[in-house]
């Protein structure tokens, strides 16, 4: 296991995503009501919250897939509402998104899926495109012969890896992961956590991760943001959140499923202190 | 955007020193490749090269890959190439994204002629398989129909009427419209062509017989194949893709009984109804044109029509309708069940469903024409 990096100092130019006063709703029901959140450069931020609290809605509104009713979203210091088409494309090229179900194009092979953004956005020779696609495939730990398979021929874990490879195709600095370990077996999920941590360190990525997986939170997240009542009710390193008195946060981390991991985490921290 | 990647080379007594600068990222595109390739020519025959990365501003996996690719190309030419001055994060990148062979077995491509012949063969085979499948499917459907008839409580009335509404009621306006127009066109052509033989009044016979025997049922069937057959295939296909069919099976429900029987039954009821509407609409269209364009008053038109056609003319068209519906429903269902995992496959099966049903509807119409001629009906 790779220990999480030291949290990055919070200075203004280190903020990759800045959200202020975000309001998103459907009809007259507000899902996000005045949400504020900063994501710092080089950190892994985990977003947790009850089912239906709006984790996916939040991610989708940052990505520009859902219209917002009020508030401001800045990515790399650029207000995403005031972008020209060219700036918008440049921002979109700098982020990679891993959707929950993978969202691989079903009519393309894995290799073609990875090459799709390269083909659309960049002027690369076919040879380099092939080589880079194969590099991404080996980076995410897929066997090389998966390259020519169609998504329908892959297992769930392989689809996640292939989708991650596609998200990494343009070497983004910012990676959005929507429940990356859901549907994987514990070993596969642990491997996937390691993979994300390794990639995050080697490529210097900023990772924004929606997850329900307590193991992921403990293993790779530098900070965790808790979503509740349409806003971020708490944000900080997991050690801080463990001390929180908020009833929901308490039962999330100290409930039946959280308690065992918490003990392991505490023991590990004590071991390191010695 | 970052600055373009660049190389400077100066020859030192120990070998060529390649100083890389700028942004070695994938965003540079073709420039990145060209600059990396230039490393091979710039060293100008030196026996040793030092690749200095200390002035690089940005590097990503693509940059690391092309740098390492050029380094290995130098080594394979017998030049000792060494990376110097790399920052820690670049060293990690170079290690993770070092150049290696990416040979993978390509999907095997056969020569054109061979694959053309193979395509013909497989098309013939799949046409045969379609027929066998279709007959097998019909058999299963009939056996299910029999069990449901014995136990009427298992009949899905809600589903049947829901589909009857969407096939018949919602389809009625468009079928009325196209048949009205086709009736009008046939009347116009009839009047125009028959005028040369002074036989304009026979236009009524032409419209009556052509529309009632053939056009009404044929146009309705083609329209239903395009409108409802495609919908059935798409629905069943999407349910197959999302494992809904499997969910039904493991609940001990037969997808044929739950999904297909109500749809096919609704089609079999809907098409005769629509054919009747189509017949009336086409006669009305023909009557209008005959009145306006051919100066045949409606009362005269109706009188001639009564002489020209009998009940059998009308019955011939209507008898065909349920069989057409059965063929459309069967093909749509078989194609829907044939959908595999991808969106592409769904599109292919829906197209196949419409094309095959229209083709089979026309073939069936031809067979019926021969049959009715033989029995003189």
């Amino acid at each position: 296991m790779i220990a999480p990096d030291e949290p990055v100092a919070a200075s203004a130019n280190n903020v990759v995503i800045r959200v202020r006063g975000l309001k998103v709703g459907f009809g007259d029901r507000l899902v996000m009501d005045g949400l504020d959140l900063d994501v710092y450069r080089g950190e892994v931020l985990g977003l947790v919250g009850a089912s239906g609290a709006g984790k996916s809605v939040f991610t989708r509104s940052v990505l520009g897939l859902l219209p917002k009713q009020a508030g401001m979203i800045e990515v790399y210091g650029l207000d995403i509402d005031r972008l020209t088409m060219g700036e918008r494309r440049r921002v979109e090229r700098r982020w990679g998104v891993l959707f929950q179900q993978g969202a691989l194009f079903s009519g393309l092979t894995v290799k073609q899926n990875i090459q799709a953004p390269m083909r659309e956005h960049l002027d690369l020779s076919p040879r380099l495109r092939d080589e880079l696609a194969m590099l991404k495939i080996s980076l995410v730990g897929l066997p090389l012969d998966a390259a020519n398979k169609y998504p329908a021929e892959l297992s769930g874990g392989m689809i996640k890896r292939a989708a991650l490879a596609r998200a990494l195709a343009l070497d983004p600095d910012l990676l959005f992961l929507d429940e990356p370990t859901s549907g994987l077996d514990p070993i596969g999920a642990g491997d996937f956590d390691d993979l994300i941590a390794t990639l995050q360190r080697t490529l210097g990525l900023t990772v924004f991760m929606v997850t329900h997986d307590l193991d992921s939170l403990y293993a790779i997240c530098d900070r965790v943001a808790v979503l509740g009542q349409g806003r971020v009710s708490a944000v900080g390193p997991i050690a801080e959140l463990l001390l929180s008195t908020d009833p929901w946060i308490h039962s999330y981390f100290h409930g039946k499923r959280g308690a065992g991991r918490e003990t392991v985490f505490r023991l590990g921290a004590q071991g390191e202190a010695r | 955007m970052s600055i373009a990647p660049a190389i400077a080379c100066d020859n030192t007594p120990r070998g060529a020193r390649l100083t890389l600068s700028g942004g070695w990222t994938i965003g540079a595109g073709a420039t990145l490749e060209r600059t990396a390739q230039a490393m091979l020519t710039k060293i100008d025959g030196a026996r040793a090269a030092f690749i200095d990365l200390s002035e690089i501003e940005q590097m990503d996996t693509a940059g690391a890959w092309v740098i390492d690719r050029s380094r290995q190309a130098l080594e394979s030419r017998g030049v000792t190439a060494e990376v110097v001055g790399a920052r820690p994060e670049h060293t990690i990148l170079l290690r993770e994204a070092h150049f290696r062979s990416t040979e993978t077995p390509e999907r095997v491509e056969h020569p054109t002629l061979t694959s053309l012949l193979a395509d013909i063969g497989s098309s013939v085979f799949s046409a045969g398989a379609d027929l066998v499948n279709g007959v097998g499917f019909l058999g299963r459907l009939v056996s299910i129909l029999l069990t449901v008839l014995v136990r009427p409580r298992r009949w899905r009335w809600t589903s049947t009427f829901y589909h009857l509404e969407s096939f018949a009621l919602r389809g009625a306006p468009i079928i009325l419209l196209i048949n009205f127009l086709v009736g009008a066109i046939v009347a116009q052509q009839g009047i125009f062509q028959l005028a040369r033989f002074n036989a304009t009044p026979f236009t009524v016979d032409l419209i009556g017989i052509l529309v009632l025997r053939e056009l009404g049922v044929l146009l309705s069937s083609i329209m239903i194949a395009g409108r409802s057959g495609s919908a059935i295939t798409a629905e069943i296909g999407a349910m197959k893709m999302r494992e809904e069919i499997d969910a039904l099976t493991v609940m001990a429900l037969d997808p044929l009984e739950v999904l297909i029987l109500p749809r096919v039954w609704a089609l079999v009821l809907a098409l005769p109804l629509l054919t009747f509407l189509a017949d009336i609409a086409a006669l009305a269209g023909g009557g209008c044109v005959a009145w306006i364009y051919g100066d045949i008053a409606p009362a005269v038109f109706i009188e001639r029509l009564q002489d020209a056609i009998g009940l059998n003319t009308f019955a011939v068209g209507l008898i065909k309708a349920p069989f057409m519906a059965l063929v459309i429903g069967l093909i749509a269902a078989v194609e829907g069940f044939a959908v595999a995992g991808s969106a592409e496959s769904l599109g292919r099966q829906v197209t196949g469903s419409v094309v095959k049903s229209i083709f089979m509807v026309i073939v069936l119409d031809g067979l019926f024409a021969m049959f009715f001629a033989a029995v003189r009906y």
Side-chain angles (χ1 to χ4, degrees):
Chain A
M1 278 280 168
I2 291 167
D5 282 337
E6 289 299 307
V8 185
S11 74
N13 58 354
N14 260 335
V15 178
V16 178
I17 304 175
R18 181 201 304 276
V19 179
R20 288 291 176 271
L22 179 70
K23 285 188 184 175
V24 182
F26 304 101
D28 48 4
R29 192 176 69 92
L30 279 180
V31 182
M32 308 274 108
D33 187 6
L35 184 145
D36 299 335
L37 184 65
D38 288 330
V39 181
Y40 303 125
R41 190 179 301 281
E43 75 170 345
V44 181
L45 179 83
L47 184 68
V48 301
S51 296
K55 299 183 295 294
S56 297
V57 170
F58 175 69
T59 316
R60 291 173 65 83
S61 44
V62 173
L63 292 172
L65 297 173
L66 269 183
K68 58 186 183 341
Q69 289 167 355
M72 182 205 67
I73 300 174
E74 271 183 18
V75 180
Y76 305 114
L78 298 168
D79 187 338
I80 61 166
D81 293 323
R82 302 209 184 120
L83 297 181
T84 62
M85 287 298 278
E87 282 173 333
R88 173 98 209 159
R89 277 170 69 104
R90 277 203 289 282
V91 167
E92 281 173 355
R93 262 172 55 174
R94 288 178 69 183
W95 71 36
V97 184
L98 170 65
F99 288 94
Q100 199 176 345
Q101 312 292 339
L104 292 170
F105 303 125
S106 55
L108 302 179
T109 62
V110 170
K111 192 160 102 180
Q112 288 166 338
N113 260 288
I114 300 170
Q115 288 175 339
M118 299 184 194
R119 199 182 286 269
E120 295 303 320
H121 288 303
L122 299 171
D123 165 34
L124 295 176
S125 69
R127 179 187 164 199
L128 186 61
R129 254 199 327 250
D130 277 354
E131 288 177 354
L132 288 179
M134 298 311 292
L135 170 66
K136 306 292 172 186
I137 286 173
S138 62
L139 272 184
V140 298
L142 279 176
L144 290 184
D145 61 1
N148 290 319
K149 286 188 176 153
Y150 285 93
E153 301 167 336
L154 300 179
S155 71
M158 287 169 89
I159 286 178
K160 293 259 173 178
R161 284 171 192 267
L164 181 63
R166 188 181 67 181
L168 292 171
L170 295 181
D171 272 297
D173 327 320
L174 173 59
L175 199 56
F176 288 88
L177 308 173
D178 193 356
E179 307 218 2
T181 53
S182 71
L184 300 184
D185 66 84
I187 300 172
D191 288 349
F192 208 84
D193 283 344
D194 286 349
L195 173 66
I196 291 166
T198 313
L199 290 173
Q200 191 261 338
R201 298 184 121 204
T202 50
L203 310 179
L205 300 173
T206 307
V207 180
F208 176 88
M209 178 160 80
V210 173
T211 188
H212 271 308
D213 188 338
L214 286 160
D215 288 323
S216 299
L217 292 176
Y218 283 109
I220 61 173
C221 289
D222 299 316
R223 290 195 309 150
V224 176
V226 182
L227 211 56
Q229 282 87 48
R231 50 185 73 214
V232 174
S233 54
V235 58
I238 198 157
E240 271 177 34
L241 294 184
L242 287 174
L243 305 174
S244 167
T245 50
D246 181 288
W248 191 86
I249 299 174
H250 187 84
S251 59
Y252 190 91
F253 290 108
H254 301 270
K256 262 194 189 135
R257 312 196 67 173
R261 292 177 182 85
E262 185 209 336
T263 319
V264 174
F265 183 72
R266 286 249 171 88
L267 289 174
Q270 281 168 8
E272 272 169 32
R274 280 182 209 130
Chain B
M1 287 255 101
S2 56
I3 346 159
I7 292 189
C9 177
D10 48 342
N11 288 312
T12 63
R14 290 169 55 214
R17 186 174 194 85
L18 295 161
T19 311
L20 277 49
S21 60
W24 288 67
T25 58
I26 194 170
T31 324
L32 179 68
E33 282 188 272
R34 263 200 312 278
T35 322
Q37 278 297 312
M39 284 164 69
L40 302 182
T41 48
K42 282 240 167 120
I43 61 156
D44 204 18
R47 300 303 304 157
F50 299 94
I51 304 170
D52 185 356
L53 304 186
S54 56
E55 287 178 30
I56 282 187
E57 290 187 5
Q58 267 186 309
M59 184 162 96
D60 62 10
T61 51
W65 177 269
V66 291
I67 291 171
D68 202 54
R69 185 167 86 182
S70 296
R71 187 188 66 79
Q72 291 196 22
L74 286 172
E75 298 232 307
S76 67
R77 293 184 189 181
V79 182
T80 33
E82 195 188 331
V83 172
V84 293
R87 274 174 266 163
E89 66 266 28
H90 292 169
T91 314
I92 301 173
L93 266 179
L94 281 170
R95 195 176 58 227
E96 288 288 326
H98 68 91
F99 177 76
R100 60 265 198 185
S101 164
T102 54
E103 293 294 311
T104 46
E106 287 288 320
R107 298 220 161 200
V108 191
E109 303 266 341
H110 292 291
T112 321
L113 187 66
T114 325
S115 62
L116 189 71
L117 288 172
D119 265 4
I120 295 172
S122 73
S123 303
V124 171
F125 179 80
S126 76
D130 275 355
L131 192 68
V132 173
N133 260 341
V135 172
F137 205 83
L138 178 63
R140 282 178 63 194
L141 205 61
V142 169
S143 75
I144 287 167
L145 180 68
L146 292 179
T147 51
V148 172
L149 285 179
V150 175
R151 278 181 235 142
R153 276 186 47 206
R154 275 167 62 186
W155 190 264
R156 281 156 215 281
W157 293 109
T158 320
S159 178
T160 310
F161 283 113
Y162 171 80
H163 291 297
L164 192 58
E165 181 192 333
S166 87
F167 298 156
L169 194 64
R170 312 257 167 219
I174 185 68
I175 285 191
L176 284 172
L177 181 67
I178 59 163
N179 279 286
F180 183 87
L181 291 176
V182 167
I185 292 165
V186 169
Q188 189 270 337
Q189 280 298 308
I191 291 163
F192 185 71
Q193 304 293 344
L194 291 176
R196 288 191 280 177
F197 310 105
N198 274 334
T200 317
F202 284 102
T203 306
V204 183
D205 302 57
L206 173 71
I207 297 169
I209 295 169
L210 191 60
V211 158
L212 294 187
R213 287 189 83 107
E214 301 293 340
L215 284 187
V217 64
L218 209 51
L219 285 172
S220 307
S221 305
I222 290 172
M223 201 63 206
I224 283 293
R227 199 179 164 277
S228 307
S230 62
I232 294 175
T233 308
E235 280 168 16
I236 304 291
M239 292 177 82
K240 178 109 188 291
M241 281 166 82
R242 294 205 246 145
E243 298 181 317
E244 293 174 43
I245 306 274
D246 299 338
L248 279 175
T249 314
V250 296
M251 286 179 211
L253 295 169
D254 189 338
L256 254 64
E257 183 191 323
V258 179
L259 301 173
I260 305 303
L261 194 60
R263 285 176 171 80
V264 171
W265 191 240
L267 267 185
V268 168
L269 290 177
L271 200 51
L273 297 174
L274 288 172
T275 302
F276 174 74
L277 289 182
D279 287 349
I280 303 302
L283 289 180
C288 285
V289 170
W291 188 18
I292 297 163
Y293 182 72
D295 283 331
I296 303 171
V300 181
F301 184 87
I302 290 171
E303 206 182 306
R304 275 207 71 93
L305 197 61
Q306 280 175 340
D307 293 341
I309 60 172
L311 186 64
N312 69 326
T313 325
F314 174 68
V316 163
L318 223 52
I319 289 169
K320 290 192 274 192
F323 294 95
M324 304 286 196
L326 191 61
V327 164
I328 294 169
L330 279 182
I331 292 175
V334 171
E335 293 293 321
F337 278 114
V339 169
S342 69
E344 198 187 0
S345 132
L346 181 61
R348 205 168 41 232
Q349 302 301 338
V350 172
T351 312
S353 159
V354 173
V355 171
K356 283 176 195 167
S357 349
I358 292 179
F359 173 74
M360 280 313 293
V361 157
I362 291 172
V363 168
L364 195 63
D365 194 57
L367 292 176
F368 267 116
M370 281 152 51
F371 171 74
F372 286 123
V375 299
R376 298 180 190 285
Y377 188 65

